Amino acid sequence: MAAGGPRPPGEGSAAAGGAEPRVMAASRLPPGALTLRQFLRRQQVLQLYRKILRAIRDVPAEADRHYLKDWAREEFRRNKDATEEDAIRMMITQGNMQLQELQRTLKLAKS
């Protein structure tokens, strides 16, 4: 095979006795794959979204349920492209506080 041409895997590597050291790829993940941290954060966001929708089911007035469901969908849709870790963590915290407020309000309404 020509010196500058492509080589099959393993051929020309230091392990195979060649002069060129094998360079490790920066990541074995396909492009666009989530890191573990991103995957876990995504799970937190989805869990929060589900909890909010479940809490909204308990709202007695249908018009209010519809309004809150649309509001939740729009908020999550609007922020779906956020990538900055601190901003996402802050939005999750705010979402949890809003969920707690909704749950408190619903509890008071029932009593």
Side-chain angles (χ1 to χ4, degrees), residues 10-15 19-28:
E11 186 179 308
S13 70
E20 298 174 22
R22 184 175 213 138
V23 179
M24 289 295 291
S27 174
R28 298 177 86 178

Side-chain angles (χ1 to χ4, degrees), residues 21-92:
R22 184 175 213 138
V23 179
M24 289 295 291
S27 174
R28 298 177 86 178
L29 297 173
L34 299 176
T35 65
L36 177 60
R37 178 172 283 157
Q38 290 170 328
F39 176 80
L40 293 173
R41 193 68 68 204
R42 182 175 187 273
Q43 295 307 307
Q44 282 183 306
V45 170
L46 291 173
Q47 183 180 34
L48 174 61
Y49 183 66
R50 288 184 202 110
K51 284 180 180 179
I52 289 172
L53 291 180
R54 282 189 202 112
I56 289 172
R57 284 188 211 152
D58 294 336
V59 173
E62 185 177 343
D64 292 340
R65 267 195 318 270
H66 184 73
Y67 171 80
L68 289 171
K69 191 183 283 188
D70 287 346
W71 167 81
R73 282 184 182 148
E74 181 55 33
E75 284 296 308
F76 278 83
R77 232 180 243 140
R78 190 165 51 89
N79 294 302
K80 74 178 182 142
D81 295 322
T83 56
E84 191 174 322
E85 183 72 22
D86 290 337
I88 294 169
R89 202 168 37 241
M90 181 188 71
M91 287 186 273
I92 291 171

